[in-house]
Structure formats: C-alpha cells, structure tokens
Amino acid sequence: MSTAITLPNSALQPDGAGTASFTSSSISSPANAVQTVAIDLADRSYPIVIGAGLMGAHAIYAALPQAATALIVTNTTVAPLYADALRTALAPKYAQVHLVVLPDGEEHKNWQTLNLIFDALLQHGCDRKSVLFALGGGVVGDMTGFAAASYMRGVPFVQVPTTLLAQVDSSVGGKTAINHPLGKNMIGAFYQPQLVVCDLATLDTLPARELSAGLAEVIKYGPIADMDFMGWLEEHMDALLARDRTALAHAVRRSCEIKAWVVGQDEREAGLRAILNFGHTFGHAIEAGMGYGAWLHGEGVGAGMVMAAELSRRLGLVDDAFAARLRALVQRAGLPLRGPVLDAADNAGRYLELMRVDKKAEAGEIRFVLIDGPGRACVRAAPDALVREVIAACCSG
Amino acid sequence: MSTAITLPNSALQPDGAGTASFTSSSISSPANAVQTVAIDLADRSYPIVIGAGLMGAHAIYAALPQAATALIVTNTTVAPLYADALRTALAPKYAQVHLVVLPDGEEHKNWQTLNLIFDALLQHGCDRKSVLFALGGGVVGDMTGFAAASYMRGVPFVQVPTTLLAQVDSSVGGKTAINHPLGKNMIGAFYQPQLVVCDLATLDTLPARELSAGLAEVIKYGPIADMDFMGWLEEHMDALLARDRTALAHAVRRSCEIKAWVVGQDEREAGLRAILNFGHTFGHAIEAGMGYGAWLHGEGVGAGMVMAAELSRRLGLVDDAFAARLRALVQRAGLPLRGPVLDAADNAGRYLELMRVDKKAEAGEIRFVLIDGPGRACVRAAPDALVREVIAACCSG
C-alpha cells in the first residue's frame, strides 16, 4: 500500500508549481518490514528500500535493467563483511559479477582511487549496460556514482549503503564526486542511481564513532525542516544509539523523505537544496583544515551545526533556547560540540579562507545556511567580523 | 531571418514523434556573413555561429550568462595564435579572464592534463558561475567540456573550435571525454555548451594534414545521410582544400545541420546517433593500435570509412560503384585509403580485439555502422570471418 506524505512544516510545503512528489509505503511497523521511499525525478526516478537483511534478497534486484556483467565496488573494511552476500544475491541476475576493492577512507576519495574502478571496468570488458553496485559508505558511494556517471558517459548504478550517513545522505540526491587537493567534492556529477538498498542489518557492524557521525546528518533534518522529527529524535536518541531497528528504520525513512522533497524541488542545487548543507560550510572547513580523514564528515557537520546555530543566534534569527536545544542533541549523539583550532596564529582567518573556496561561495562571498526560526532554513551571507566571533566562541585546540 | 531546414534524404526524415528541430539562418551568401545553426535540445539548446573573424567580436558573447571569471583553455600550438584575441574580446564581459595552456596532442587527452584545468579553476577561485572557453581542436574541446561538466558538478562552457574537425564534429552533440590507457573516450559526460563559435579564419593556420583529417568527418555525412551533400563535396573538394571560405562555410553548416538533426533525435546515443560513428569502429582500432597521436583521428576515420564501405559491399548492402565513389572522395581529400598493419602475426585478430572494447560493443559483440544504401546507415554485427577478409583486403604495412 502506498500513501502520499505531506511534510508538516510550512517551509517545506510545495509552492503550487512544485514538481516534487514522493510516496512512501510500509508493511505495518515491525522492524523486519520493508519500507519504500519512491524518489520521483521524472525519467530519473528510483526507489529506496529500507529494512533489515535486504541486501541478500535477490528479489530486491529483479526490476533492474538486464546486463551481462555487474561490478561490485567496495572497500577493504566492508568487503570481508558483505561482498559475498551481495555477490550471491546478484548471481541469478548477471552472468558475471566482478569485484573491485578500494582502500578505505576519505583520504582515498581521489582520482587515483577512482581510476581503480575504471581499470576494473575495462579489464573485465564491461560495456554500456553493465551495472555498478556501490557497497559501502559515502566515499564508496560518491566514487562509484561518479565512475558510473563517467564510464562510457554513463552506465547504471545501484547504491547499497552500509553506514547510517550514507543511508540518510548520499542515498538521495544524486550527488557524486571526488576531492581535489584544493577542495572537497570539487569534481563530480549529478547522477541518479537505479535503486538504493538500505539494509539496516549492516548498521550492526558500524563502529560507534561512525554511527554518531551518521546521526549528525539525521539531526540536521530537524532544525532545517521538521521540528516534530527533532522532538522524535530527542525521545529516541538512546534507542538509535542502541541500534534499535524500528527506531533506525524511522530515522532513515524520515530523513530520506525530507531530503527527497527538497531535492525534488531543486535537483541541480539552484536554490532550496542548499539548505541540506546546514552545518556543512563550517564542517567542510574543519575537514579540509584538519586534512581529510582526521575528522569524520559527520563530526564536522556536528560541530558545524553548532557553529551555524550560534551564527544564527548572533544574527537574531533564533533564540538562546533553540541553540541550546540543538547543542544538547548533538552532544547526546556523541558528536563533538566544538571546532578544532586550525591555525594558532589566525584561526578565524584560516576558517574564512577555507570557506571561501566552498562550492556555495559566489565571487568569494561565503553563503551560510542558517536557521531563521525552528524548522526553517535560509541561505545568506554574514559579516566577517561576526563570523570571527562565532569561530572564537566555538573552537578549542 | 530564420528558416526551417528539411533534410533531403529519407533516412533523416522525422518519424512523426521526433523531438528534433533546428533552424538555420544566414545573411545572403558572402563569405563574411554570419550563419547560425540553432541546436534545439529543450533547456540545453544553444546556437552555433559560423563566419570568418567571429572570435574577436565581443558582441558574439553578449548573451552568455554573467560571471565574475572566465577561463580560456587552450594548448601550446593555439595559444600564441588566438589567445590574445579571445581574451580581448571577453574582457568587456568578465572582470577576470584567466588562461590555462595544455600540451598539444591526443596523447595528452588524459587525466593528468585534465587536472591542469581543475588546478587552474581552483587556483583562480573560479565558482559555479565561471565560464570555460575551449579554444582549440577536438582534444581541447573534449577535455574542457568534461572539465566543465565535472567542476563543482557543472559550470557553463563555450566551444571556440579552431580546427575543421572540431567545427563539424565536437561542436554538436555534447560528447566530452578523456582517454583511458585501455580505450579512447572511455571516461566522459554528455554535456552541452552554451555557444559554439566557428571562426573560419582560424582554418587559415591549420596544417594541411589536419584540414584533410577534418574533411573525413565532413565526407561522413554524405554516405550516412545526404547524397546531395556528397555530390556537392565531389564538386567543391578543390575549393575546400584551397580554404575557400564560402565553400568552408557551407561544409561546416551542412555538417552541423545533419549532426544536429541526428543528435536531436537521440541525445544520449541510445540508437540512431550511432550512425555518426561511421568509419569510427575501424578508425578507433587504428588509433588505439598505433598509439594515440600517431594517426590523426580523421585519418583513422578516413581509412575506417573505406573499410566499413568494403564490409557493407561484401554483405551485399551497397554495390561496387558506391564503394569506389567513396574511396575516390576519401583519396581526393588527402586521406589514407588503407589501414596500417597493427600486428604482423595476426593483424585481423588485433583489430577485432581492439574493436571489442569499443563503447558501442555489447557483451563483446562489435556493432558496425554500415551503409545499407547510398545516404542511409544502419548498425549491425558482422561475422568475424568476413571482417577478417575486409581487414586483409584493406590494410598494408
């Protein structure tokens, strides 16, 4: 059964001409049920399926386009855990299922690693119909997606995200990319998968630090779009940290629904979609300034949300109580509350320098995603002096 | 004044539901007139302007999107000839016009060279609105287009092709790519420019060998789509080789019109568009087998068209006279008629091996673009034994 979902907060109501729509369905409520969020992007539409143990169920892949070969792209951490299960599930569908195992970590999200995927595709004689499967976290997903977008100018791909962050973030939106030494995600494409399989059972093997990092992207959806969801997270944070599958299923589904609505309005990030980067402007500066991989992406977003909320507060957009409430939720998720000192001599200057090369910056002006009322985000510039005050107040070495 | 063009040959008549359309306009017929071919691809539509001396006319760029910065991408051969003129013409439009000069040659169409463009974009603080200008031949155009498609997931770009091949081939269709050691154009994107400026004056400085290579792609449009155009080429080959601007303007315009019609039917190369690869399956094998850069692309296409016509003849699709007529035209254009021997021990085997990794191949089966009647192309497989005969008949060391 399929029902249309209406988002509760006014900031996310369709404005008449909106093109976005998605439908969600679920079989009652037990933890083992399969839930589906349908992402509606015209000829680039696809379903996200959510449930425990889905990866190994070959029926999940039945509707994918037929091809002679499939290539599973994964990393050294995930391969021993899940590559065999996925391979077995794909065997009835594809005559040949190949595997390429990448080194693990954000520091490998570069051209050299991407090229390992192209090497494998060509060595195995993969053609324009071959299907890529991204089995892993956000780094594997981003690189596999960009490889799929670029190989022979585009082949089909499927996301099988094995981290909470990838399930709630990269599974919707079609953003793929690699890093450049001078900036994160600078080289990439908008490219949609055919299918996303969020297998909640894979979260059992996720290190606690990565579970927390994933919760940063879940928490984000509250302040920018849905304060009811923020309230639900406050009630269920202990269950999420204990990996309760019913709670995880709801968090993943609601995050995907909100992101799908926003992306449906603005697939190519011309406007509204930028609100999904709440916490990311400061967060990207932290990641780049510390060297990719030192802080997890979600950790940067956690501290970055606290900094963006503080900037919103100092601009008079939200009150003390809202900023304190967000800070408390970030802390309960096990995330860092304070940014690192990136430069002992001029820390704020270093943050500003890194934020000016952010993709959202225009002609050197930093565009901050701020909260201008609980459940509502805006994108705007801020005076350097005020940003410096926020950085001084929110960082420690 | 703008008039709709109807292609004369039945193979290119719209089939009712066709989405393609283009309009062409010209100011009478003198060589200095500006002609426009409008490429209609919905929100990715753009004009091709054709004429002598257009590059330096700043009015040509007036309708482009506004931005703070532009980056001219060119190579070591073209930069000293035209970079200053383009820079001067762009100065009224963009506050900053930067330049990056790549090494010249197909052998540099790889990731390392592409990365020089990304380095320049980031070093100059280029943002999502910055406009890239590809000033040069097909290699510069393909790499700049892929850089534009990928930088921050897509920035605007303009083609200023300075070779005949680039003016008639890469200016329409939105194919961008780099080579991989295991295959040509294996990594890329479909990405449309904002504008194409075909300045016929740039052909004055084109080496004779490259003029001939460009004529291969012009000749191609005859056998696959328009025998009237083939007849026109037979009459005007001497004028074209003498770089007569009226003749060149017609050849460039007619080639772009035919290609625009085909691409408008099939932007993502699902079917019909493959006919534009007439001569390319054998040609790509020649290029790859000799090492990129040893044969010019158009030279491979020249010998490749002769081989594809011979295969068509042996399959009974065309008669001896047609194959001889095409051979004569290829020869008059100054192009090689015979393919090289790639492997003394098993030359046909080497060709077949290289052709099996072509992007058009499916599950290892080579898809040949063949002529199945003058002015009409088809895509089909052929028995290996027959292909071997053709290679034996058409190659010499």
Side-chain angles (χ1 to χ4, degrees), chain A residues 127-177:
Chain A
D127 61 27
R128 283 180 175 174
K129 297 193 168 178
S130 301
V131 184
L132 274 67
F133 288 79
L135 174 66
V139 172
V140 165
D142 281 7
M143 285 199 294
T144 307
F146 187 42
S150 306
Y151 183 64
M152 296 191 177
R153 302 192 186 95
V155 295
F157 88 111
V158 173
Q159 296 267 22
V160 188
T162 60
T163 67
L164 179 59
L165 185 131
Q167 292 183 357
V168 300
D169 188 39
S170 47
S171 61
V172 185
K175 280 192 180 181
T176 71

Side-chain angles (χ1 to χ4, degrees), chain B residues 165-224:
Chain B
L165 184 129
Q167 290 182 359
V168 301
D169 189 39
S170 48
S171 63
V172 185
K175 280 192 179 181
T176 72
I178 57 173
N179 298 330
H180 183 280
L182 295 178
K184 189 173 155 68
N185 292 330
M186 282 292 166
I187 301 165
F190 287 101
Y191 197 69
Q192 306 295 342
Q194 303 282 315
L195 168 70
V196 178
V197 181
C198 295
D199 187 338
L200 301 172
T202 62
L203 303 184
D204 291 348
T205 53
L206 195 66
R209 187 179 164 197
E210 293 201 36
L211 185 70
S212 291
L215 286 170
E217 295 279 6
V218 174
I219 290 169
K220 171 185 85 178
Y221 294 107
I224 65 167

Side-chain angles (χ1 to χ4, degrees), chain A residues 108-314:
Chain A
H108 298 292
K109 189 174 159 180
N110 54 28
W111 172 261
Q112 286 73 23
T113 310
L114 183 72
N115 216 29
L116 297 175
I117 306 176
F118 293 129
D119 291 346
L121 286 164
L122 283 158
Q123 281 157 7
H124 294 305
C126 291
D127 61 27
R128 283 180 175 174
K129 297 193 168 178
S130 301
V131 184
L132 274 67
F133 288 79
L135 174 66
V139 172
V140 165
D142 281 7
M143 285 199 294
T144 307
F146 187 42
S150 306
Y151 183 64
M152 296 191 177
R153 302 192 186 95
V155 295
F157 88 111
V158 173
Q159 296 267 22
V160 188
T162 60
T163 67
L164 179 59
L165 185 131
Q167 292 183 357
V168 300
D169 188 39
S170 47
S171 61
V172 185
K175 280 192 180 181
T176 71
I178 57 172
N179 298 329
H180 183 282
L182 295 178
K184 189 174 155 69
N185 291 330
M186 283 293 167
I187 302 165
F190 287 99
Y191 197 69
Q192 306 295 343
Q194 305 281 317
L195 168 69
V196 178
V197 180
C198 294
D199 187 338
L200 301 172
T202 62
L203 303 184
D204 291 348
T205 54
L206 195 64
R209 187 179 164 197
E210 292 201 36
L211 184 70
S212 291
L215 286 171
E217 295 279 5
V218 174
I219 291 171
K220 171 184 85 177
Y221 294 108
I224 65 168
D226 185 352
M227 290 303 289
D228 288 349
F229 186 49
M230 185 149 170
W232 183 91
L233 287 170
E234 288 169 330
E235 279 170 44
H236 294 85
M237 187 51 74
D238 292 341
L240 291 168
L241 290 169
R243 305 177 199 228
D244 175 274
R245 285 183 183 169
T246 305
L248 285 169
H250 181 77
V252 170
R253 176 178 166 169
R254 188 72 193 130
S255 298
C256 289
E257 284 172 352
I258 297 174
K259 185 163 184 182
W261 192 92
V262 174
V263 170
Q265 296 295 304
D266 178 22
E267 188 180 354
R268 311 275 309 185
E269 199 161 26
L272 176 69
R273 183 167 174 166
I275 69 169
L276 298 173
N277 280 315
F278 177 56
H280 285 60
T281 306
F282 289 104
H284 283 168
I286 292 171
E287 281 184 271
M290 297 296 286
Y292 293 124
W295 278 50
L296 295 177
H297 175 67
E299 292 171 337
V301 171
M305 286 193 290
V306 172
M307 294 167 89
E310 179 61 16
L311 181 55
S312 306
R313 192 187 67 80
R314 288 180 188 236

Side-chain angles (χ1 to χ4, degrees), chain B residues 69 71 96 98-99 119-126:
Chain B
T69 53
L71 178 70
Q96 293 187 289
H98 301 289
L99 181 72
D119 291 346
L121 286 164
L122 283 159
Q123 281 156 8
H124 294 305
C126 291

